[in-house]
Amino acid sequence: MKNCNWSWRFATPAIAAELGDRPELLLEAGREVKSNPVRQVFRCGDYFLKYDKRSGRRLRSEWNCAQLIEREGIQLVEHLALGESSAGSILITRAFPEAEAVSDYFYRTYIEQPGEPAVFLNNFVHFARKVLESRLYHPDFHIGNVLYSPGLNRFALVDAQGVRKAGWFDRWFRRYSMERIGMEFRFSRTRHQMLKLLAALGIADPEEFYAEALVRESAALWHEWPRRRRQALAGYPKFSVQDGSLLRTVDPLRRTVPLENYEVLEGESALVESLFLSHFFLQLAQIPHRRVLALDRRNRQVYLEKISSSTVPTAAADYQERLNALDIHSETRDWGKDEFGRISLWNLDLIRLYV
């Protein structure tokens, strides 16, 4: 980072004094938390530094987007400084106190354990509605890009890239890409609860929106499934990790699913592989199901969550509507209840025929 003729812009004079004359040196003291061939993210104390090796246009655009969001009065992680040089560009933001992505918090608190998220969702709706009702269009508005601080009980956008003033095309034809954020909670919400959530978000006709959204989400899943299928089988960290001869599944928090309380099924390679893939398909479809824990391709085995002897068939309730949108049909015998008494799809043979 030396002798690169860095030029810096600071949010305020106070931030300039806080970061000093050479903010780029924070990279050397930072810990890498994310990277790809052209971009790296480092953490240094309470600062996050996004370093892009390409020209400064991309991070400069993000800096300008952040200022636009702030002018609308929407909570955003604090953007402190932008640096540009011949070596690339650096965007410095301040860490949101004790925060995690809404997607992670919701899974850990209300899906992994039985809990009632009504109060949390009410607070989230207040934040999300402010974004939806703003004059802005956010091209990547989803719960992975919103942070939540339980201690502060506050939300904040973490990704400002691409945000712009909404034009007529955004308002009429791209609005669903933002409004669909409500659909991301459907894993643990009944149809009735989903309609209440959508209404609270300001959706004019929740029933019509929900029915159309199921079709849209299903179409999107089928479209992206070939790529997701390859990723799951290749050990892409979002889905699986190689552990000796086992390809183990990971949960939405990217933790390997414990190999406990399981049964092993042996069969032809195509059979065990399709059962393995069924787990990811249902996970992406946000339908509770019997989990698959690992695949052993060498020995043609798949590790399945064990069905409790007390499990009895149960009606699919609202989930059949979601399967219908995927053009998959089930019977009562295909469903049971999980350890928390929640309806879950136990018959993975039903899904493996499609994946």
Side-chain angles (χ1 to χ4, degrees):
M1 291 299 110
K2 297 178 181 178
N3 302 320
C4 292
N5 299 317
W6 284 91
S7 173
W8 284 94
R9 281 190 258 178
F10 300 95
T12 65
I15 296 299
E18 176 185 335
L19 293 175
D21 296 332
R22 300 288 304 280
E24 66 272 13
L25 297 181
L26 291 171
L27 281 181
E28 298 178 9
R31 170 180 58 87
E32 184 179 275
V33 295
K34 190 176 180 181
S35 69
N36 63 39
V38 296
R39 181 178 288 188
Q40 296 167 281
V41 178
F42 296 85
R43 180 160 190 172
C44 183
D46 287 334
Y47 306 122
F48 281 100
L49 297 94
K50 187 180 293 185
Y51 171 49
D52 198 311
K53 301 174 185 178
R54 298 166 292 184
S55 69
R57 179 177 58 83
R58 292 167 181 82
L59 292 188
R60 192 185 315 134
S61 172
E62 188 170 342
W63 172 264
N64 293 334
C65 291
Q67 293 181 322
L68 180 62
I69 293 169
E70 290 171 352
R71 286 197 294 271
E72 289 294 320
I74 296 169
Q75 180 71 56
L76 174 74
V77 293
E78 191 178 1
H79 282 58
L80 305 177
L82 174 69
E84 298 179 78
S85 80
S86 59
S89 54
I90 301 172
L91 181 65
I92 302 178
T93 59
R94 196 186 304 279
F96 199 53
E98 301 176 5
E100 61 182 318
V102 167
S103 55
D104 293 349
Y105 178 84
F106 190 79
Y107 177 83
R108 183 171 50 80
T109 310
Y110 301 114
I111 294 179
E112 190 172 48
Q113 300 294 329
E116 177 46 57
V119 174
F120 170 79
L121 288 175
N122 285 339
N123 293 332
F124 173 79
V125 162
H126 180 75
F127 170 82
R129 187 159 182 166
K130 190 168 187 178
V131 179
L132 292 173
E133 293 178 348
S134 73
R135 298 175 298 166
L136 304 179
Y137 173 71
H138 193 313
D140 200 22
F141 187 47
H142 61 81
I143 59 177
N145 275 339
V146 181
L147 295 181
Y148 176 62
S149 172
L152 299 176
N153 191 25
R154 285 169 54 197
F155 298 86
L157 289 176
V158 70
D159 184 3
Q161 185 63 49
V163 174
R164 59 180 180 265
K165 290 184 179 179
W168 72 269
F169 195 83
D170 298 320
R171 289 192 295 270
W172 289 103
F173 296 100
R174 295 197 178 106
R175 187 152 185 86
Y176 176 76
S177 68
M178 291 183 63
E179 291 177 332
R180 68 168 296 275
I181 196 167
M183 294 297 294
E184 296 186 83
F185 297 103
R186 66 189 184 278
F187 185 95
S188 67
R189 302 277 84 190
T190 65
R191 188 181 199 279
H192 176 70
Q193 291 167 331
M194 284 298 302
L195 295 179
K196 287 182 64 177
L197 175 63
L198 294 172
L201 283 171
I203 305 299
D205 188 339
E207 292 224 22
E208 181 182 354
F209 179 91
Y210 181 71
E212 182 181 347
L214 288 180
V215 174
R216 283 177 176 245
E217 297 300 309
S218 297
L221 175 54
W222 284 122
H223 176 74
E224 68 178 19
W225 178 243
R227 177 169 62 94
R228 297 304 192 189
R229 187 183 192 278
R230 290 192 298 270
Q231 289 174 334
L233 293 174
Y236 186 65
K238 183 177 180 179
F239 297 110
S240 57
V241 61
Q242 195 70 45
D243 181 12
S245 66
L246 297 181
L247 186 60
R248 296 179 58 182
T249 59
V250 299
D251 66 17
L253 299 181
R254 300 196 178 187
R255 303 170 303 186
T256 53
V257 179
L259 284 175
E260 56 187 32
N261 192 31
Y262 64 86
E263 64 177 278
V264 178
L265 177 68
E266 297 184 4
E268 295 297 325
S269 297
L271 169 66
V272 296
E273 190 175 277
S274 61
L275 285 172
F276 179 74
L277 290 168
S278 296
H279 165 77
F280 298 107
F281 184 85
L282 290 167
Q283 184 170 285
L284 290 168
Q286 295 207 36
I287 294 176
H289 59 280
R290 182 186 188 186
R291 294 183 301 175
V292 176
L293 312 181
L295 171 68
D296 186 341
R297 281 181 281 197
R298 184 176 64 193
N299 295 308
R300 294 185 298 183
Q301 296 176 329
V302 63
Y303 290 62
L304 302 170
E305 183 179 10
K306 197 170 186 178
I307 298 178
S308 170
S309 58
S310 62
T311 297
V312 295
T314 187
D318 304 327
Y319 293 112
Q320 184 55 60
E321 182 180 12
R322 305 180 192 186
L323 279 181
N324 287 342
L326 291 160
D327 202 22
I328 299 174
H329 307 283
S330 68
E331 305 291 341
T332 298
R333 63 177 180 271
D334 298 321
W335 300 82
K337 291 188 176 180
D338 66 13
E339 58 185 309
F340 303 123
R342 298 180 297 200
I343 296 172
S344 188
L345 181 64
W346 288 105
N347 182 15
L348 296 185
D349 278 329
L350 179 71
I351 305 300
R352 74 173 185 82
L353 301 174
Y354 296 87
V355 300

